[in-house]
Amino acid sequence: QVQLVESGGGSVPAGGSLRLSCAASPNTYSSNCMGWFRQAPGKEREGVAVIYTTGGSTYYADSVKGRFTISQDNAKNTVYLQMNSLKPEDTAMYYCAADPVDYVLGIPKDFGVWGQGTQVTVSS
């Protein structure tokens, strides 16, 4: 059974940094695209970043462009989200996802496999 396990969340002051990790198992599993989403209490789920695992093309939400970077380590079957210059509005549960099932204008918007999430809290 495919599993995505996120780690790296925590509490930081505004302006701080965190790096989230998403490890996929079994190590023979691969997805052509993986993404990070977030959901704050009372708000809809928001796509943050996606990466095509072949070729490395990336897409970001406007709210995180220039501050967040999605990357991958194929040898470790892991995707990362480096988050810099964090703001209180970045506070949310962050989820890793794989196997896109829906696209809008060619960009994956929904995925078939999800992790359990890791909490990110940014204080002002």
Side-chain angles (χ1 to χ4, degrees), residues 18-23 33-36 49-53 55-60 68-83 96-97:
L18 284 172
R19 188 177 81 155
L20 306 183
S21 299
C22 171
C33 181
M34 297 186 70
W36 285 97
V50 297
I51 184 167
Y52 282 93
T53 56
S57 295
T58 58
Y59 297 92
Y60 296 92
F68 291 11
T69 303
I70 188 171
S71 62
Q72 60 183 346
D73 184 335
N74 291 334
K76 296 182 179 179
N77 222 14
T78 299
V79 172
Y80 303 97
L81 185 68
Q82 178 66 44
M83 306 185 296
C96 177

Side-chain angles (χ1 to χ4, degrees), residues 91-122:
T91 295
M93 184 71 79
Y94 283 70
Y95 298 91
C96 177
D99 284 350
V101 297
D102 191 25
Y103 295 79
V104 175
L105 299 178
I107 300 173
K109 292 300 184 181
D110 198 5
F111 290 74
V113 180
W114 294 84
Q116 292 299 307
T118 185
Q119 178 67 38
V120 171
T121 302
V122 184

